[in-house]
Amino acid sequence: MASTVDTPASRPEKQYECAARRFLYIWEGPLRIIHWVNFFSIIILSVTGYFIHDPFMSSAQHPYIMGNVRYVHYLFGIIFSVNLLFRIYGFLVGNYFASWRGIPNPFNAKDRKNFWAFIRFYTFTGKETPHLLGHNPVAFCAYTLLFALFILQMLSGFALWAQNDPGSSLYAVTGWIFGLVSNQWVRWFHFLVMFLIGGFVINHIYSVVLFDFKSKSGEVSSIFSGWKPDRRD
Amino acid sequence: MSAFNELLATHGVSRRDFLKYCSTIGAMLALPSTMIPKIAEAIEQDNRPPVIWLEFQDCAGDSEGLLRASRPGVAELVLDHISLDYHETIMAAAGHQAEASKNATVEKYKGQYICIVEGSIPTGAQGAYCTIGGHSAEDILKKVGGDAAVVIAVGSCSAFGGLPAAYPNPTGAKAVRDLLPNKTVINLPGCPMNVDNLTGTIVHYLTFGSAPAMDRFNRPKFAYGKRIHDNCERRSHFDAGQYVENWGDYGHQQGWCLYKMGCKGPETFHNCPTLRWNEGLSWPVMAGHGCAGCSEPGFWDTMMPMYRRLPNVPGFGVEASALNIGTAIVGASAAIFATHGAVTVARNWKNVASAKADLREEIKEHSDDVE
Ligand code: HEM
Ligand code: SF4
């Protein structure tokens, strides 16, 4: 038999209807690359950063271990930072969903309604959330905070680095930080932000999976493929 | 024989030793060797500016440092030779006599003398915490420091407020630079300052008539331009991952890095590892103890606990370390979202059951179709 493939179209009499009207290419290639570079940099920076905080491994099996770990931390610090700058560039020029144009507008009644629908969903006081193509508006707020932390982490990281040569041009760029906060607190902050990011990661993965279930709109796969369904609600 | 050569002779210092000393100082200030004659000339000249040494909320540690200056007798001589007109702790005169001599110098050498300040200046209780000869410390500093050619703040207390200004700063202690914002203030922090850095600064001033190049905290770069950590003789152990884990353990006996024992060398700018103390004999890390970070702004509030790398967070009742707070943040996040997940699963249990029923139905129909 020729048509054993069971698609809704092949059986219109059963009134099957795909929930997706069509698929849209929401997250473009560069954005997805930036996301995954960020993912790997943060893991590597956290592991090496924790080691710098508390060098728990003995040198007997790993000669020059601290030197190497610091090298990797600085290298990925640069990769992370360049990647962050690319993302900020994308925020200016990227497509609707990746850029400032997709920001939920607090003066727009519909955006406000969406926001509260998600808040109610998270707090178990409401069951329905509208189907959105871009960021969930509550998550968008979390991302804003997160990127503020990234920028501070980048600044504090380079400021700590520049201390090895106060005559350097890097120090000329970052030295002002030590006029505001002592270098011990900069270090402390750089260490603490690692945990703040860790706390976010738990939230992030949980929420993405939750909405993948809830809205059946391929939240998880969209960051690999870029495609999301334009669903009928 | 010039007056200065006589002075050398009475101190039993040969001309050759004196010139050697000048080249040492020149090297320390990173000057070319062609400058050595100029340094010697500056030290020898007869119109050296007088020095007034003020002491406020201090422990006299910097004065002690000055008195112990004993590098081949010459440093002492240089400091003798700059006429120290007023120094409460070491001058012979006392009371009104001492005050009179100070006032005479201030009047006679207005705008020419060097003012050295030791100790922080209390500004609380209208200055009642420290008055000398009926004047508050703040008034004395503004008068004597204000009329000086240059002010040198020796020790962390006068440079940054130091211990008296540590939280909760009961006396409202301030640094010299806070009270003389329009003056050239050279900060020589340290607990105490290293007297070789003081002589270096004075010789620089005598030679060039100006302050040496300074960093953002007004510390001379020749002395505070490098981090302890970057000049430390234990640095190779740091990079190699060889750390002292306990006092007196194998690593400690081997002279390994003190990072894990709370060494503040990675955050402290000072030339201790190269200049060392007590005639270049030793310095804390060489002696087996971590750097305490004494010459950084906010020392004590930011560099303590002494044996931990990062500061504790005040205001949390029990002292809380960054690690505890961080673990709590991640733990709270995990707990919140785990609970949320559990509640979500419970709330959707019915949906899952009906979805499964739908699917069973579907599979049945599907297999019917295929048949
Ligand atoms: C997700 C981002 C990052 C995380 C989680 C992270 C984590 C850490 C941690 C935990 C430490 C040890 C702090 C301590 O206990 O003293 C550290 C140190 C440091 N980090 Fe990062 N970091 C990040 C980004 C960066 C960036 C972008 C740079 C810039 C190049 C950087 C440069 C440094 C430097 C210079 C140190 C001090 C290392 C030393 O003393 O040798 N970090 N980092
Ligand atoms: S002992 Fe202190 S200053 Fe020296 S290398 Fe270790 S951490 Fe750095």
Side-chain angles (χ1 to χ4, degrees):
Chain A
M1 262 207 293
S3 69
T4 48
V5 184
D6 188 36
T7 63
S10 70
R11 300 183 297 162
E13 75 284 1
K14 296 219 157 164
Q15 293 197 327
Y16 277 112
E17 199 180 45
C18 179
R21 244 183 248 126
R22 60 194 159 147
F23 284 81
L24 293 172
Y25 190 49
I26 304 288
W27 308 127
E28 290 177 4
L31 185 103
R32 274 149 37 223
I33 293 172
I34 288 171
H35 177 272
W36 291 110
V37 170
N38 203 21
F39 171 87
F40 288 111
S41 320
I42 288 177
I43 291 176
I44 292 168
L45 283 165
S46 301
V47 172
T48 52
Y50 189 82
F51 186 84
I52 294 168
H53 174 78
D54 176 17
F56 46 82
M57 247 185 284
S58 115
S59 68
Q61 301 84 18
H62 312 276
Y64 205 67
I65 184 162
M66 184 57 125
N68 289 330
V69 167
R70 282 177 51 250
Y71 175 79
V72 172
H73 192 81
Y74 293 14
L75 180 67
F76 276 86
I78 293 171
I79 294 174
F80 170 84
S81 305
V82 171
N83 194 54
L84 182 58
L85 297 181
F86 274 132
R87 184 62 187 89
I88 292 170
Y89 179 69
F91 184 70
L92 299 176
V93 304
N95 77 9
Y96 180 86
F97 300 102
S99 74
W100 56 273
R101 284 175 290 156
I103 301 178
N105 178 358
F107 298 108
N108 176 322
K110 187 156 168 265
D111 282 3
R112 270 203 312 270
K113 205 175 127 252
N114 287 345
F115 178 82
W116 288 113
F118 277 91
I119 290 279
R120 278 196 299 277
F121 180 78
Y122 274 118
T123 55
F124 303 124
T125 54
K127 285 204 158 167
E128 288 320 309
T129 53
H131 180 72
L132 300 177
L133 287 169
H135 297 305
N136 143 0
V138 176
F140 179 85
C141 297
Y143 298 154
T144 309
L145 278 178
L146 182 71
F147 272 78
L149 288 179
F150 285 168
I151 290 170
L152 290 173
Q153 194 73 338
M154 174 177 79
L155 280 177
S156 57
F158 279 103
L160 288 174
W161 189 355
Q163 288 193 114
N164 76 53
D165 183 7
S168 65
S169 30
L170 183 57
Y171 191 84
V173 176
T174 57
W176 58 271
I177 292 169
F178 300 117
L180 302 178
V181 204
S182 89
N183 51 14
Q184 274 288 89
W185 285 111
V186 171
R187 253 195 116 108
W188 178 88
F189 177 81
H190 193 81
F191 181 55
L192 188 76
V193 168
M194 177 174 77
F195 293 97
L196 293 175
I197 294 175
F200 167 83
V201 165
I202 293 173
N203 160 3
H204 181 62
I205 296 176
Y206 172 75
S207 295
V208 167
V209 172
L210 175 68
F211 279 97
D212 196 275
F213 280 120
K214 156 80 187 151
S215 66
K216 307 186 188 73
S217 56
E219 295 281 318
V220 174
S221 68
S222 72
I223 198 61
F224 293 94
S225 70
W227 293 90
K228 272 189 170 186
D230 178 11
R231 287 180 64 99
R232 294 162 230 271
D233 278 323
Chain B
M1 203 147 108
S2 77
F4 187 77
N5 282 348
E6 265 170 45
L7 193 68
L8 285 180
T10 54
H11 277 71
V13 177
S14 71
R15 180 85 197 159
R16 192 183 155 78
D17 283 342
F18 172 65
L19 289 176
K20 258 201 223 158
Y21 176 76
C22 291
S23 53
T24 310
I25 289 263
M28 178 171 141
L29 296 174
L31 297 173
S33 53
T34 46
M35 286 302 296
I36 294 165
K38 220 174 155 215
I39 294 174
E41 207 179 294
I43 298 178
E44 282 177 285
Q45 70 188 342
D46 278 334
N47 57 346
R48 294 162 314 272
V51 172
I52 297 183
W53 184 296
L54 300 174
E55 275 182 87
F56 300 122
Q57 293 193 128
D58 69 330
C59 68
D62 302 287
S63 298
E64 280 288 331
L66 172 77
L67 298 176
R68 296 285 175 278
S70 51
R71 197 182 279 253
V74 193
E76 191 188 357
L77 183 133
V78 171
L79 294 168
D80 265 3
H81 188 55
I82 54 167
S83 37
L84 197 50
D85 282 12
Y86 178 86
H87 188 306
E88 281 153 22
T89 312
I90 55 181
M91 74 197 297
H96 291 298
Q97 240 184 337
E99 289 297 302
S101 125
K102 178 179 78 185
N103 291 338
T105 306
V106 172
E107 288 309 316
K108 188 160 167 223
Y109 295 96
K110 206 173 184 142
Q112 291 164 27
Y113 61 90
I114 299 175
C115 173
I116 298 180
V117 186
E118 177 178 8
S120 67
I121 301 93
T123 57
Q126 278 107 42
Y129 293 118
C130 178
T131 61
I132 301 159
H135 299 286
S136 75
E138 191 175 347
D139 289 344
I140 297 173
L141 176 73
K142 285 193 168 146
K143 170 101 192 49
V144 179
D147 283 344
V150 62
V151 181
I152 304 176
V154 294
S156 292
C157 295
S158 62
F160 301 131
L163 296 185
Y167 179 82
N169 192 357
T171 62
K174 290 205 162 147
V176 172
R177 205 173 153 209
D178 297 337
L179 296 169
L180 295 174
N182 303 321
K183 205 83 208 160
T184 309
V185 178
I186 307 171
N187 284 335
L188 297 178
C191 199
M193 53 102 199
N194 193 326
V195 72
D196 290 336
N197 288 332
L198 176 64
T199 34
T201 304
I202 291 178
V203 168
H204 186 285
Y205 185 76
L206 294 180
T207 311
F208 297 101
S210 66
M214 298 191 286
D215 69 4
R216 68 169 47 252
F217 299 112
N218 278 27
R219 300 177 294 198
K221 285 185 179 166
F222 74 82
Y224 301 88
K226 282 279 171 208
R227 228 170 12 162
I228 294 222
H229 189 54
D230 294 320
N231 276 334
C232 176
E233 64 256 24
R234 299 192 183 209
R235 176 56 185 263
S236 46
H237 295 295
F238 172 81
D239 285 326
Q242 295 175 312
Y243 304 102
V244 177
E245 310 271 348
N246 284 299
W247 299 119
D249 69 2
Y250 178 75
H252 200 210
Q253 289 163 20
Q254 295 299 308
W256 287 358
C257 167
L258 294 151
Y259 187 69
K260 291 176 95 167
M261 304 307 283
C263 178
K264 304 298 187 303
E267 282 82 31
T268 307
F269 291 82
H270 212 158
N271 54 359
C272 305
T274 43
L275 189 64
R276 301 188 187 152
W277 296 73
N278 301 330
E279 296 175 64
L281 182 69
S282 184
W283 66 289
V285 168
M286 194 180 203
H289 188 282
C291 163
C294 70
S295 59
E296 284 298 307
F299 165 61
W300 201 261
D301 285 344
T302 67
M303 293 296 174
M304 294 300 119
M306 177 97 70
Y307 301 109
R308 293 259 185 86
R309 285 212 18 266
L310 298 178
N312 280 333
V313 189
F316 270 73
V318 239
E319 289 189 330
S321 79
L323 185 62
N324 296 347
I325 295 181
T327 316
I329 290 171
V330 174
S333 175
I336 290 170
F337 291 102
T339 316
H340 199 282
V343 174
T344 307
V345 169
R347 272 162 55 109
N348 285 295
W349 205 246
K350 272 214 304 283
N351 296 354
V352 173
S354 80
K356 278 186 181 162
D358 282 356
L359 185 64
R360 268 197 301 276
E361 187 84 347
E362 181 69 13
I363 292 169
K364 212 162 129 256
E365 282 185 29
H366 184 81
S367 41
D368 290 350
D369 280 0
V370 174
E371 272 163 23

